[in-house]
Amino acid sequence: MTEKKFYFFANWKMYLDFDESNILANGLAEELKNKSRSYEMTVFPSALALQTVTQVLRDLNIDTGIQNGYWVDKGGYTGEISFSMAQNIGCRFALIGHSERRHQFKESNHDVRMKMENVINNTKLVPVLCVGETQKERDDGKTEEIIEAQLRSAYDGVNWDEKREIIIAYEPVWAIGTGNACDAKEAQSQHERIKAIVKELLPGQSLSVLYGGSVSPENAENYLKEKDIDGVLVGGASAKMDSWLKILAIAEKISKKYV
Ligand code: PEP
């Protein structure tokens, strides 16, 4: 059987407050504590709950990540948190360039590059680069061009240490939080292209591409059957215990096929 490592990433966005985040983390810990797991699970809680959720999940070998960070480690930047601060409290991953950052908070490819460089040069975190096109870009036939520009501006010439994994989330903006999930075959062809571009930019590195955008217990398996889809980044359905546990049941089933 082929060996394939699957990633199941839960982006809790700003859906849960401090208490709700800790209740969900403790509930998951209780559900998963005596079960073996053959997939990677990572939770991205709000910054406020990052430390407590990290502590709760650490004993189960479930990782956490920061949803966003600033590209300077420390200083007079009111309201910001740095990636190195997230590392100091035990996080392993960092989302970079999530479409809600790019489109609602106007983060440019340049900003994303600054964040990527800070994570790569100043921390040991694994950056998870999010890329994807808007509905308009898709309608205008610009999907490939937009994704390629996002990939090149983030990775070209970056000083990548060979032990660090490359993880990318392909998240079409029109599919995020809309219920309008991307067809699995269409996602597969974008993943294949993304892998080809990144292999050219950073040859010889281990590379995984996750799909994100309205993933649910009903459709998750369709993505995981595709050759170049190495996991899912889930928003809404990951912030509720019942739907996330259903997705994890699929994770277990699919992962076992490959181990
Ligand atoms: C996301 O936040 O990355 C995401 C994919 O959200 P949703 O699953 O709710 O579409």
Side-chain angles (χ1 to χ4, degrees), residues 161-204:
D161 128 39
E162 59 183 28
K163 289 198 212 84
R164 202 184 308 239
E165 300 160 80
I166 302 176
I167 305 184
I168 295 162
Y170 169 55
E171 300 205 298
V173 182
W174 48 269
I176 296 186
T178 58
N180 183 22
C182 181
D183 175 74
K185 296 276 174 231
E186 187 181 335
Q188 157 60 31
S189 78
Q190 294 303 344
H191 282 224
E192 197 173 348
R193 250 191 101 253
I194 288 169
K195 286 187 178 176
I197 294 167
V198 178
K199 279 181 184 159
E200 178 214 310
L201 292 170
L202 297 169

Side-chain angles (χ1 to χ4, degrees), residues 79-229:
E80 296 292 335
I81 300 178
S82 69
F83 293 108
S84 64
M85 289 176 179
Q87 171 171 279
N88 291 347
I89 59 155
C91 278
R92 238 195 97 209
F93 291 88
L95 285 186
I96 300 191
H98 188 278
S99 77
E100 286 157 8
R101 301 296 322 164
R102 290 182 191 266
H103 296 287
Q104 294 175 30
F105 298 96
K106 307 290 172 235
E107 270 183 23
S108 63
N109 278 343
H110 171 264
D111 297 336
V112 170
R113 170 67 182 222
M114 295 294 281
K115 293 180 185 205
M116 181 63 81
E117 285 192 7
N118 176 264
V119 170
I120 293 300
N121 296 330
N122 295 6
T123 78
K124 293 193 162 44
L125 297 176
V126 177
V128 180
L129 177 72
C130 303
V131 298
E133 78 288 0
T134 62
Q135 183 67 59
K136 168 133 190 7
E137 289 159 349
R138 185 173 194 237
D139 294 344
D140 293 347
K142 291 190 172 157
T143 298
E144 282 75 15
E145 183 191 324
I146 293 293
I147 294 173
E148 184 160 356
Q150 291 171 339
L151 293 170
R152 289 193 183 278
S153 64
Y155 293 126
D156 198 12
V158 149
N159 185 21
W160 205 274
D161 128 39
E162 59 183 28
K163 289 198 212 84
R164 202 184 308 239
E165 300 160 80
I166 302 176
I167 305 184
I168 295 162
Y170 169 55
E171 300 205 298
V173 182
W174 48 269
I176 296 186
T178 58
N180 183 22
C182 181
D183 175 74
K185 296 276 174 231
E186 187 181 335
Q188 157 60 31
S189 78
Q190 294 303 344
H191 282 224
E192 197 173 348
R193 250 191 101 253
I194 288 169
K195 286 187 178 176
I197 294 167
V198 178
K199 279 181 184 159
E200 178 214 310
L201 292 170
L202 297 169
Q205 299 289 147
S206 96
L207 166 63
S208 300
V209 183
L210 282 47
Y211 168 76
S214 296
V215 172
S216 66
E218 290 71 39
N219 65 22
E221 194 165 347
N222 297 341
Y223 297 104
L224 302 163
K225 285 179 185 159
E226 297 297 333
K227 175 171 73 67
D228 291 300
I229 301 187

Side-chain angles (χ1 to χ4, degrees), residues 53-71:
V53 170
T54 299
Q55 279 170 352
V56 170
L57 299 180
R58 180 180 293 157
D59 293 343
L60 286 103
N61 280 328
I62 296 172
D63 291 309
T64 52
I66 189 165
Q67 295 178 10
N68 177 42
Y70 191 49
W71 59 72

